[in-house]
């Protein structure tokens, strides 16, 4: 048994020795090649815009115990609103139905909680593009007087943002370059060739929120302030360090 055990141990040691000889050598550093040192810097570019268009959701909600009456009332108010919009210069292409719903609305007893009756509700919502922002306050006032009782989602925008986006990209790259030069000088190194460049907008044009109603319309109309929009672009630059 001892001789057999000795042979088994000897065979095992031989296998381990052969495996060690066949295994590839690993090196912790890139031997034979120079390490590439890099410096990465980021920058931000912002461009402010004055809105030239607004998008508004205008809705009419009616209800009645008779679904036909609820629908007729809703249609009459919708027609009055459409007439008011056209008189204010809004073109048909800028008026689009975005939602139309008819549904029962059960009425409950406050005492027993039982259903006492059923009203039928009709909701009609149109998505309106307003290209003359000077008329926006008057338009909102007129459609409310014509029967609109659900207005939400007023969104200001700029139709052509290409020039502003180009300027924001340039500002972001210049900001990143200035940061890279500042960091290199502080670290006592020199920048080499540009290795990578990444430019991306953080979001679409977004509103700049300020207190008050700066630029609002006259008090005789619905107070509306278009404010400003801002386009923000980020840039990441990576340089080789000499």
């Amino acid at each position: 048994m001892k001789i057999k055990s000795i042979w088994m141990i000897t065979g095992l040691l031989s296998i381990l020795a052969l495996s060690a000889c066949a295994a590839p050598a690993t090196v912790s550093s890139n031997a034979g090649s120079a390490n590439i040192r890099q410096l990465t810097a980021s920058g931000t570019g912002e461009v402010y815009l004055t809105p030239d268009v607004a998008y508004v959701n205008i809705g009419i909600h009616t209800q009645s115990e008779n679904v036909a009456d609820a629908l007729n009332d809703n249609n009459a108010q919708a027609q009055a609103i459409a007439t008011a919009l056209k008189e204010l210069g809004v073109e048909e292409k800028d008026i689009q139905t975005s939602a139309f719903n008819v549904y029962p609305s059960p009425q409950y007893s406050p005492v027993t909680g039982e259903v006492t009756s059923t009203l039928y509700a009709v909701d009609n919502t149109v998505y309106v593009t307003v290209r003359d922002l000077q008329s926006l306050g008057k338009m909102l006032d007129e459609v409310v007087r014509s029967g609109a009782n659900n207005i939400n989602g007023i969104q200001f925008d700029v139709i052509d943002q290409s020039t502003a986006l180009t300027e924001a990209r340039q500002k972001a790259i210049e900001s990143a370059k200035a940061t890279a030069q500042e960091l290199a000088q502080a670290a006592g190194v020199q920048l080499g060739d540009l290795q990578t460049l990444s430019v991306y907008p953080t979001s679409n044009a977004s509103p700049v929120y300020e207190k008050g109603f700066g630029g609002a319309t006259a008090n005789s109309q619905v107070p509306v302030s278009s404010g400003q929009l801002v386009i923000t672009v980020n840039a990441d630059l990576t340089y080789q360090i000499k």
Side-chain angles (χ1 to χ4, degrees):
M1 289 295 293
K2 288 184 179 181
I3 295 175
K4 185 176 181 181
S5 298
I6 291 173
W7 277 109
M8 289 178 65
I9 293 172
T10 303
L12 180 60
L13 291 175
S14 300
I15 293 173
L16 291 174
L18 291 173
S19 299
C21 292
T26 58
V27 183
S28 59
S29 61
N30 295 328
S33 62
N35 292 327
I36 299 178
R37 300 184 301 164
Q38 294 181 330
L39 184 150
T40 300
S42 299
T44 301
E46 292 183 340
V47 174
Y48 292 85
L49 303 171
T50 300
D52 56 15
V53 67
Y55 306 104
V56 188
N57 285 299
I58 300 175
I60 308 107
H61 174 84
T62 56
Q63 59 183 24
S64 174
E65 292 183 356
N66 185 292
V67 65
D69 292 340
L71 182 59
N72 290 336
D73 291 344
N74 197 287
N75 289 342
Q77 294 178 31
Q79 184 58 49
I81 291 171
T83 300
L85 290 173
K86 291 176 182 178
E87 289 178 352
L88 290 170
V90 180
E91 299 182 23
E92 284 192 20
K93 67 177 183 178
D94 291 331
I95 305 173
Q96 181 182 37
T97 299
S98 59
F100 185 84
N101 300 297
V102 180
Y103 54 93
S105 177
Q107 306 299 300
Y108 299 91
S109 168
V111 179
T112 64
E114 296 179 351
V115 176
T116 57
S117 63
T118 298
L119 296 178
Y120 292 91
V122 178
D123 285 318
N124 185 4
T125 304
V126 292
Y127 186 70
V128 181
T129 300
V130 183
R131 302 181 189 277
D132 179 13
L133 295 186
Q134 296 298 322
S135 68
L136 179 57
K138 182 179 180 180
M139 187 208 74
L140 294 174
D141 183 78
E142 289 293 330
V143 296
V144 170
R145 296 180 188 278
S146 299
N149 51 22
N150 188 6
I151 296 179
N152 60 78
I154 299 178
Q155 179 184 357
F156 294 98
D157 203 356
V158 175
I159 294 178
D160 186 2
Q161 301 179 12
S162 57
T163 301
L165 189 57
T166 297
E167 184 181 350
R169 291 193 193 103
Q170 294 173 347
K171 286 185 175 182
I173 293 174
E174 291 299 324
S175 175
K177 288 171 62 177
T179 300
Q181 292 169 356
E182 177 185 341
L183 293 174
Q185 183 177 1
V189 298
Q190 290 185 342
L191 296 178
D193 295 333
L194 180 65
Q195 301 296 301
T196 62
L197 167 62
S198 177
V199 181
Y200 48 94
T202 58
S203 62
N204 295 326
S206 56
V208 179
Y209 295 102
E210 297 179 354
K211 295 182 179 179
F213 286 96
T217 57
N219 292 332
S220 60
Q221 302 174 2
V222 175
V224 175
S225 176
S226 59
Q228 284 186 311
L229 300 177
V230 60
I231 290 181
T232 304
V233 173
N234 287 345
D236 296 328
L237 306 180
T238 300
Y239 290 91
Q240 182 179 351
I241 297 177
K242 291 183 180 180

